[in-house]
Amino acid sequence: MAMLSRGFGRGRSRPHDDRLPPGQYDVGDGFPVLSVGPTPRTPLDRWTLEVQEGGDALATWTWEEFRALPREAVEVDIHCVTKWSKFGTRWEGVAVDTLLAGLPTTATHLLAGSDGGYTTNLPLEDVTGGRAWVVDTYAGEPLTPEHGGPVRLLVPHLYFWKSAKWLRRLTLRNHDEPGFWETFGYHTYGDPWREQRYSGD
Ligand SMILES: Nc1nc2c(c(=O)[nH]1)N[C@H]1C(S)=C(S)[C@@H](COP(=O)(O)O)O[C@H]1N2
Ligand SMILES: [Mo]
C-alpha cells in the first residue's frame, strides 16, 4: 500500500528521494554560486572556444560560429561536492560530441580550461556519448557570468566541480592529469553515486 514507501523502516520521516546521491541534500529553488576567484568577463567579440591537442588547435569557434552549431536542450540533476543537489535543471547548448566530431585524435582524456585559469580533468568517454555539453543557456535565459557565462561545461553525472565555468579550451590528452581541485585533493573522477569526493574515496 502507498504508506509502505522506500525509506520506511530506515528511520526516515519521509521516503528518501532516489534522485539524491549519498550525503547530498536537495537545495530546492536555490542555486548557489561557487567560484574560486573573481568572475571573468570576456567580451564576446574576443571570445573563442578551442579544442587543442599537443599544442595545436584542432578546432576553434568564434561566438557566432559556436552559436550556429547544432543545439540540444537537456534537463538534468546536478550534485555539488559541498553536498547540495539541484533537481531538474534546464540547459541548452552544444553536445561535446558535436564539438569533437571528425577531429583526428586518439586521446583518452581531456582537460577543460577556463578564463581565470581553472582546469578540471575528465576521461574522454565521460564527455562523449551524449553525457556532456557546452551550455550557454540556463532556464531559458543566457547563462549569467556568475554561473559560468558565456559558456560552461556541463557534465551532470559527475560532481559539479567538473562542470568548468567560463570554458575556453578542451585540451585532449593521452593520459589523465589532475586539474585545479583534483590537485588540492579532490577525487580524480568524482562520481557522486559512489561518493568520490576526495582522493582515496
Ligand atoms: N572556472 C570555474 N569553474 C568552476 C568553478 C570555479 O571556481 N571556476 N567551481 C566549480 C564548482 S566547485 C562548482 S560546485 C560549480 C559551481 O557552479 P555554480 O556556481 O554555477 O553553482 O562550478 C564548478 N566550475
Ligand atoms: Mo563544488
Side-chain angles (χ1 to χ4, degrees), residues 34-99:
L34 283 107
S35 304
V36 180
T39 296
R41 289 164 200 269
T42 300
L44 291 180
D45 61 4
R46 287 202 273 118
W47 181 92
T48 53
L49 180 66
E50 197 158 277
V51 178
Q52 301 178 340
E53 185 166 17
D56 297 329
L58 299 189
T60 309
W61 297 271
T62 64
W63 178 249
E64 285 71 27
E65 289 166 345
F66 175 79
R67 292 284 299 174
L69 290 169
R71 297 172 63 78
E72 297 180 10
V74 291
E75 182 169 334
V76 292
D77 302 340
I78 55 178
H79 312 289
C80 175
V81 72
T82 63
K83 302 201 167 179
W84 57 268
S85 290
K86 188 169 175 59
F87 298 141
T89 61
R90 294 186 296 113
W91 310 83
E92 292 166 42
V94 178
V96 173
D97 293 301
T98 302
L99 299 174

Side-chain angles (χ1 to χ4, degrees), residues 18 31 42 76 87 98 114 136 139 149 173 187:
D18 63 11
F31 194 171
T42 300
V76 292
F87 298 141
T98 302
S114 302
D136 58 22
R173 297 179 186 280
H187 198 278

Side-chain angles (χ1 to χ4, degrees), residues 112-128:
S114 302
D115 272 327
Y118 186 88
T119 56
T120 189
N121 57 306
L122 294 140
L124 208 53
E125 67 177 13
D126 281 83
V127 295
T128 50

Side-chain angles (χ1 to χ4, degrees), residues 3-198:
M3 294 290 290
L4 293 173
S5 51
R6 265 186 334 278
F8 183 85
R10 282 196 261 149
R12 293 181 190 279
S13 56
R14 60 187 173 81
H16 185 73
D17 192 319
D18 63 11
R19 294 174 296 177
L20 214 47
Q24 298 290 114
Y25 69 91
D26 176 5
V27 76
D29 290 335
F31 194 171
V33 171
L34 283 107
S35 304
V36 180
T39 296
R41 289 164 200 269
T42 300
L44 291 180
D45 61 4
R46 287 202 273 118
W47 181 92
T48 53
L49 180 66
E50 197 158 277
V51 178
Q52 301 178 340
E53 185 166 17
D56 297 329
L58 299 189
T60 309
W61 297 271
T62 64
W63 178 249
E64 285 71 27
E65 289 166 345
F66 175 79
R67 292 284 299 174
L69 290 169
R71 297 172 63 78
E72 297 180 10
V74 291
E75 182 169 334
V76 292
D77 302 340
I78 55 178
H79 312 289
C80 175
V81 72
T82 63
K83 302 201 167 179
W84 57 268
S85 290
K86 188 169 175 59
F87 298 141
T89 61
R90 294 186 296 113
W91 310 83
E92 292 166 42
V94 178
V96 173
D97 293 301
T98 302
L99 299 174
L100 300 184
L103 297 185
T105 182
T106 55
T108 55
H109 289 81
L110 175 149
L111 192 73
S114 302
D115 272 327
Y118 186 88
T119 56
T120 189
N121 57 306
L122 294 140
L124 208 53
E125 67 177 13
D126 281 83
V127 295
T128 50
R131 299 216 282 169
W133 297 266
V134 175
V135 294
D136 58 22
T137 302
Y138 173 74
E141 302 288 338
L143 186 59
T144 59
E146 290 71 22
H147 286 297
V151 308
R152 78 182 299 162
L153 189 61
L154 176 67
V155 192
H157 69 284
L158 299 177
Y159 279 126
F160 209 34
W161 89 76
K162 296 288 185 182
S163 293
K165 304 198 280 189
W166 316 300
L167 183 72
R168 295 291 302 275
R169 275 173 312 284
L170 301 173
T171 303
L172 300 169
R173 297 179 186 280
N174 285 314
H175 60 280
D176 199 8
E177 190 174 302
F180 178 83
W181 281 124
E182 296 84 5
T183 304
F184 284 99
Y186 278 42
H187 198 278
T188 191
Y189 184 65
D191 180 352
W193 296 98
R194 288 185 281 167
E195 220 174 341
Q196 294 173 336
R197 299 178 191 276
Y198 308 106

